[in-house]
Amino acid sequence: MSKVAGGSQSCPITREASMNSLWRLVPLKTTLENGARDSVIQVYVTTVPVKRASIILNLIRKIIPEDGGIDLQHLRRFAKPGEVPQKVRDLIPENSSISPEPDQQLLLLVGSTASISSESLLEALSPLLASVSLFSTSVPLLAPTSQEQAASWASKYWPTVYKKNNPFGPHPSIVSRAGDEIEGDVGKWMDLASQVARQSCSEGRGEEFGVVVVERRGGIARPVAVAGDARWLDWPRVGSGNVTAHAVLRAIATVSAGLKARDEAHIVPENITPSKAEGIFQDKPIGSLERDNCRRSGDSDGYLCHGLEIYCSHEPCVMCSMAIVHSRFGKVVFQQRMSKTGGLCANGKLGHGLFWRKELNWTLLAWQYSQEGGASSIHANSDINV
C-alpha cells in the first residue's frame, strides 16, 4: 500500500462560510480583449467636397492598397464635421474650405500615417482638390466588442461601428448561452471539487486543490472524473512536489483510462476499476470521492476530453492549463484565481490567457466562479502552482 510522505499535514488553505453570498460566473477576457483592444494608431484625415467623395476614396484605395494592411472596417470612412469629437474638429486647418459650406464638405479618413508619407499623399490629392486640408488624429486600431465601447470611442476618437461580433475572443452570445447552460449546477461541481481537495489535503496526499470533470449530454450533466492534488504521495516534502500529480493532470488521466478501457474491451463497465499507479504518475483514483465518481465518458470522436467541462477549485498553473487546451475541453471554470502562477487569466502576472489564443490549435470558454463583489470563499498561497 502506498504511504504518504511526511504524514498528515495541516492544510494551508482556509474556507470561509458564505452561505448567504451570491455567486456568479464571470467570463474571462482574452489577451487581446485585455491589452490590444485599447491600442490606437495615427491616421490621415482630409476634407473633401461631397460631390467628389467617391472619386477621392477610389484614389486612396489605389495609392494605399488594402489600407496598408490595417483593417479599418470598424471606422466610418466619411463623417460630417459635426459627427466627430471637438478635439478632431480643432485639428482641421484654418485654411480649409469646410467652414463656408459645412453641409457640402465631409471628413475622409484616408489611412494610417505609416502606410504613406504626407508628401506623397498631398501630391496624389492635389490634382483633384483645389485646396488639400490634411491632418492626423488617433483612432482605435481594433474593432469594438460592444455597442457601449463603440459609442465611447466615437465620442473620444472617431465615429466607430460595432458589428455585433468579437474578433478578439468568443462571441458574446456564445458565452452567454454556454453560461446559461452550466450555471444551474456549477455550484454543485465546485462543492465536489472543494470536497475532494479537502480530502486530499487532510489525508496528506497533496495541497487543497480539487478538480471535477463533467459530461453534459441531452441537458443532463454527470461527473466522469474527480481528482485531488497528490503531489506529496510517495514524494518527499521538499520543493514543489510531484508536478505530474497535479489535480488537473490526474483528472485527465482518469478520463483517458476510461477511453482506453472502452477501446480495448469494446464494452466497459459504468464504473472504472482502479488499479495500482505505476512510476511517478498518480493517475489512478485515490480515496472514496475519486473512486465513487470515476466513470467512463461517452466521447467517441477521437479527442480525449472533447466537449467535456472541467471545474477547478483554483486557477490551473501554466502546465495544467496547456493540458486542458491540448485535451480539448469545451469549458473550464475555476473559483480561486492564482494571480502569480495561473495560466488561464490574461490579466494576471503571467498574462498568458491560454484558454483563447489563436496561435494554439484549440480554444475553449472559461469563467471564474466568484462571489458578488469579487471576494472568494477559499484562499491559497498565490505562489503555488496548482
Side-chain angles (χ1 to χ4, degrees), residues 45-48 76-82 84 88-89 92 98 105-109 135 158:
V45 176
T46 188
T47 59
V48 297
R76 286 174 52 188
R77 286 313 277 265
F78 292 102
K80 296 179 180 179
V84 300
V88 176
R89 293 199 293 273
I92 300 173
I98 198 166
Q105 297 285 332
L106 294 174
L107 295 175
L108 166 63
L109 192 159
F135 62 95
W158 184 268

Side-chain angles (χ1 to χ4, degrees), residues 100-116:
E101 299 178 292
D103 293 337
Q104 300 300 314
Q105 297 285 332
L106 294 174
L107 295 175
L108 166 63
L109 192 159
V110 176
S112 168
T113 57
S115 61
I116 189 173

Side-chain angles (χ1 to χ4, degrees), residues 24-27 171-186 216 309 311 330-333 365-367 369:
R24 62 194 181 103
L25 287 167
V26 181
H171 195 283
S173 64
I174 295 176
V175 177
S176 178
R177 287 197 300 270
D180 291 342
E181 182 182 37
I182 68 175
E183 69 176 352
D185 50 25
V186 61
R216 193 178 301 271
E309 304 164 6
Y311 297 83
K331 304 179 184 73
V332 57
V333 184
L365 303 180
W367 295 263
Y369 188 55

Side-chain angles (χ1 to χ4, degrees), residues 204-338:
R205 293 191 296 269
E207 303 293 338
E208 194 179 342
F209 307 138
V211 166
V212 176
V213 176
V214 172
E215 179 182 58
R216 193 178 301 271
R217 290 181 177 274
I220 300 175
R222 62 167 191 162
V224 295
V226 172
D229 184 78
R231 70 185 66 195
W232 304 122
L233 183 61
D234 295 331
W235 201 272
R237 282 188 172 269
V238 293
S240 301
N242 182 358
V243 296
T244 70
H246 287 193
V248 167
L249 299 186
R250 296 189 61 241
I252 293 173
T254 300
V255 175
S256 176
L259 294 177
K260 180 181 179 183
R262 183 198 64 192
D263 292 342
E264 290 179 348
H266 301 292
I267 300 177
V268 185
E270 175 66 13
N271 291 329
I272 303 167
T273 302
S275 59
K276 181 177 176 59
E278 299 179 359
I280 66 172
F281 300 102
Q282 302 295 345
D283 55 0
K284 306 300 179 185
I286 308 168
S288 59
L289 284 172
E290 293 186 11
R291 288 192 294 269
D292 292 346
N293 292 282
C294 184
R295 302 179 180 88
R296 67 178 176 86
S297 165
D299 179 80
S300 60
D301 67 0
Y303 290 105
L304 182 56
C305 298
H306 187 269
L308 299 183
E309 304 164 6
I310 184 166
Y311 297 83
C312 311
S313 62
H314 297 71
E315 180 185 3
C317 65
V318 174
M319 175 184 68
C320 290
S321 295
M322 282 304 300
I324 289 172
V325 172
H326 287 313
S327 299
R328 300 206 171 190
F329 280 93
K331 304 179 184 73
V332 57
V333 184
F334 66 85
Q335 184 169 325
Q336 175 65 36
R337 180 172 174 178
M338 302 298 281

Side-chain angles (χ1 to χ4, degrees), residues 110-184:
V110 176
S112 168
T113 57
S115 61
I116 189 173
S117 68
S118 58
E119 293 79 10
S120 297
L121 188 56
L122 287 169
E123 182 179 355
L125 293 175
S126 294
L128 297 177
L129 296 173
S131 174
V132 180
S133 300
L134 191 66
F135 62 95
S136 64
T137 187
S138 299
V139 296
L141 172 61
L142 302 173
T145 57
S146 68
Q147 186 60 54
E148 293 74 20
Q149 189 175 55
S152 173
W153 285 352
S155 65
K156 185 177 180 181
Y157 299 108
W158 184 268
T160 308
V161 179
Y162 173 55
K163 297 188 176 182
K164 297 184 179 180
N165 63 0
N166 182 8
F168 318 119
H171 195 283
S173 64
I174 295 176
V175 177
S176 178
R177 287 197 300 270
D180 291 342
E181 182 182 37
I182 68 175
E183 69 176 352

